[in-house]
Amino acid sequence: MNNDAVLEGLKKAVVDGDEETCKDLANKAIESGMDAYEAIMDGCGAGMAVCSELYDKGDIFVPEILMSAEAMYAAMDILKPHIKVEDVGKSKGKIVIGVIEGDLHDIGKNLVKIMLDAAGFEIIDLGRDVPADDFVNTAKNDKVDIVAMSTLMTTTMPGMLDVVRGLRDKDIRENVKVLIGGAPVNEDFVSRIEADAQAEDASKAVKVASRLIEELRG
Amino acid sequence: MFAHIFQEKLEERIKRSNAFFMGEVPDRTPASPMCMGQAAIMHGYTLYDYYTKPDLGIDCIIHASQMLDAEILPMWLYATYWVEDYGGKLKMPVGRMAAPAMIEPACKTFEEADSLEVLDLKELSNGPTMQRHWKALERAEKIMGKYFAPWSFPYEVFIQVAYWIGPEKAVLLVKKDPKLLHRLLKKAVEHCVNVNTLVAERYGSSFIACSSLLTSNTLSREQCIEFNINYMSEMISKSLKNGAGPGIMYHLCGDHRVDWDLHTKVPITPATLMHVAYDGKEPMDIKKVMSVFGDKCAILGNIDTALMQLGTPAEVYDKVKEQVLAAKESPKGYLACNACEIPPFAPVANTYAFVQAVKDYGQLPKA
């Protein structure tokens, strides 16, 4: 099996949510001396990118995405220990992600994390019910490019404003983009709290995050 | 401390709310803002107080109804009912939390969930959720007397499975192991029927408040039918046979652009309220809701909750006016309402503006 066939196989297995085939092909990639980073990005990541497009078109829904994610992570668990030293830390950008304080609904955040992970971003996941200070301190200490926050509840939306203010107070607002999401979030709210962008769903989050990184790096 | 309840006004409001169910037309559109946790904040209590003291919660709702002179549906409940009864962990609201939230589901593995036994009526009645629910019902009965209408809250069949194994795992099972999911959904139906039956056995009837949430924009239409609509229909039919109902409220919470019209397949009684919340990020066009459900049952309005939190009183007033004028003559009735619970810390001035707009534009022609 040549490298192209392995990559194509991984891509298809991720789209199909086929965990066993993903594991099998990941092992084959390692055995054949294939570049692990390439297998992750051009095999698994490419598969999730297809899932993202299908989700965007309404051809697949959340259960299919979760199946694909399981398959992808099964392959990545095998491939990651074999990433070359020069590829470690290689990423499209560093993102701290979490659900804002007071809200424990994290399915949406987890879907966004899956998509960003698959697209090659480095993710720091703070989980749910995250205080504003934790976002701000992580942004500063880990020198992240994007702070990504979500909430399902209207009540907890003001917490996002606290994060934006916190970034400003620490004098790092100019170095960090703020991406927000969740059911009650819209463009009007982005303007009100002076965030940078919103993503309507997980599939759009990758495109928006990529654009924000480009803006940041000029 | 609460003010005196003026019984005549209370009766007037209840009669206005119930008129459509009796085949009558009230003098005006009922103003039923979904004021729940906000009622506690209005009275100087915390949400923790509201959710841990159900009798206090009922006092807050009924007195808020009086303060606003509004037909608020007097129901105390929260979306994470039954989590604790099967061993899951709940966090009561503190800080900016709007409501109790599940922090741990009952079962750690699929196998554990598969072997879980549904609580019987006695176990359910003595469990933490029903003990709170009984307190709320008893307090409401004491205040409302002959106009008291007991309610039960099975919530959603699919959500019950999510409370047993966690939301992501429940959604994942749709593809990973649909047979197991069907087994769990059958158990969840049994649980939900027990919830409704319990209240009906004690009071002779039960207004069933149920919802579609987790399946809304998560599953495809076909998956919604297979894993939600069919089970919801079975649950309601069995509950009606056991004496629950005839009142039913279908609260289609969140974004229902995929499956809202599928709810024409669920049982509809003469005392049914259909409540369709969102189409994407915007409230579902109330005229679309009327076109599908208007001749089948009364419909509840869906004024945006984000507007209640972030808008001005003038903006709220205008939106409510627009919707009331569009929907007030829906064939089986229309009650002005929000798409979901008003965010508890939303400005009370916006809730007043809501009620005022209904009063100003909700006059109905005599039948």
Side-chain angles (χ1 to χ4, degrees), chain B residues 90-260:
Chain B
L90 205 62
K91 182 177 175 182
M92 284 295 171
V94 288
R96 280 195 177 126
M97 279 178 71
M102 180 176 75
I103 51 172
E104 209 172 277
C107 305
K108 287 191 170 57
T109 63
F110 290 132
E111 293 73 23
E112 212 182 312
D114 204 15
S115 60
L116 181 143
E117 286 184 21
V118 173
L119 298 173
D120 64 26
L121 293 179
K122 193 176 174 189
E123 290 167 327
L124 200 58
S125 179
N126 292 329
T129 306
M130 208 63 210
Q131 284 298 306
R132 291 189 194 110
H133 194 80
W134 290 137
K135 277 187 189 163
L137 291 176
E138 284 158 14
R139 184 64 186 155
E141 184 177 24
K142 192 170 179 189
I143 299 176
M144 297 170 73
K146 64 180 178 179
Y147 293 104
F148 166 65
W151 66 95
S152 55
F153 190 49
Y155 200 25
E156 180 186 338
V157 178
F158 197 95
I159 285 272
Q160 188 54 46
V161 173
Y163 290 161
W164 287 335
I165 60 173
E168 269 180 50
K169 283 185 183 167
V171 174
L172 180 65
L173 280 183
V174 168
K175 290 299 287 185
K176 194 180 179 80
D177 192 346
K179 282 185 184 166
L180 170 59
L181 181 55
H182 280 299
R183 286 201 297 278
L184 295 176
L185 286 165
K186 282 186 182 124
K187 285 189 201 188
V189 166
E190 189 186 338
H191 161 81
C192 293
V193 171
N194 283 349
V195 167
N196 295 325
T197 304
L198 207 50
V199 176
E201 281 188 355
R202 181 177 284 200
Y203 291 100
S205 70
S206 173
F207 185 88
I208 303 167
C210 69
S211 185
S212 281
L213 172 63
L214 198 54
T215 52
S216 58
N217 63 345
T218 310
L219 310 186
S220 68
R221 273 176 80 84
E222 294 72 26
Q223 289 165 344
C224 282
I225 293 170
E226 183 179 349
F227 297 104
N228 183 37
I229 299 289
N230 289 347
Y231 286 104
M232 177 186 269
S233 297
E234 183 186 342
M235 183 266 283
I236 295 293
S237 299
K238 285 183 174 171
S239 300
L240 292 172
K241 276 184 194 155
N242 284 2
I248 308 170
M249 173 178 161
Y250 291 106
H251 171 54
L252 279 54
C253 192
D255 174 9
H256 277 272
R257 72 189 119 169
V258 172
D259 69 335
W260 71 281

Side-chain angles (χ1 to χ4, degrees), chain A residues 188 192, chain B residues 303-321 338 346-355 357:
Chain A
D188 179 47
R192 280 179 198 243
Chain B
I303 298 299
D304 190 10
T305 56
L307 180 71
M308 300 299 288
Q309 170 88 50
L310 302 167
T312 63
E315 288 168 336
V316 171
Y317 185 94
D318 287 345
K319 276 286 174 198
V320 175
K321 171 188 167 185
N338 299 98
V348 177
N350 285 349
T351 313
Y352 274 104
F354 180 113
V355 176

Side-chain angles (χ1 to χ4, degrees), chain A residues 33-51:
Chain A
M34 193 177 161
D35 186 303
Y37 185 74
E38 187 189 352
I40 289 174
M41 293 312 298
D42 298 340
C44 301
M48 280 311 287
V50 173
C51 292

Side-chain angles (χ1 to χ4, degrees), chain B residues 47-67:
Chain B
L47 293 178
Y48 186 86
D49 295 329
Y50 176 84
Y51 284 109
T52 54
K53 298 170 190 160
D55 41 356
L56 172 78
I58 282 293
D59 275 320
C60 290
I61 294 172
I62 293 175
H63 283 83
S65 196
Q66 177 162 284
M67 283 167 69

Side-chain angles (χ1 to χ4, degrees), chain A residues 8 10-12 14-16 42-57 59-60 65 68 115 118 203:
Chain A
E8 204 47 46
L10 274 172
K11 182 179 166 184
K12 184 175 183 313
V14 167
V15 174
D16 294 343
D42 298 340
C44 301
M48 280 311 287
V50 173
C51 292
S52 176
E53 283 169 25
L54 293 171
Y55 180 77
D56 222 14
K57 286 194 273 182
D59 291 341
I60 62 169
I65 294 281
S68 294
M115 294 299 189
S203 69

Side-chain angles (χ1 to χ4, degrees), chain A residues 66-88:
Chain A
L66 293 175
M67 284 292 283
S68 294
E70 275 208 344
M72 176 187 77
Y73 284 122
M76 281 168 69
D77 285 346
I78 295 167
L79 294 165
K80 269 190 172 170
H82 298 275
I83 292 177
K84 289 177 196 158
V85 177
E86 60 266 32
D87 288 334
V88 173

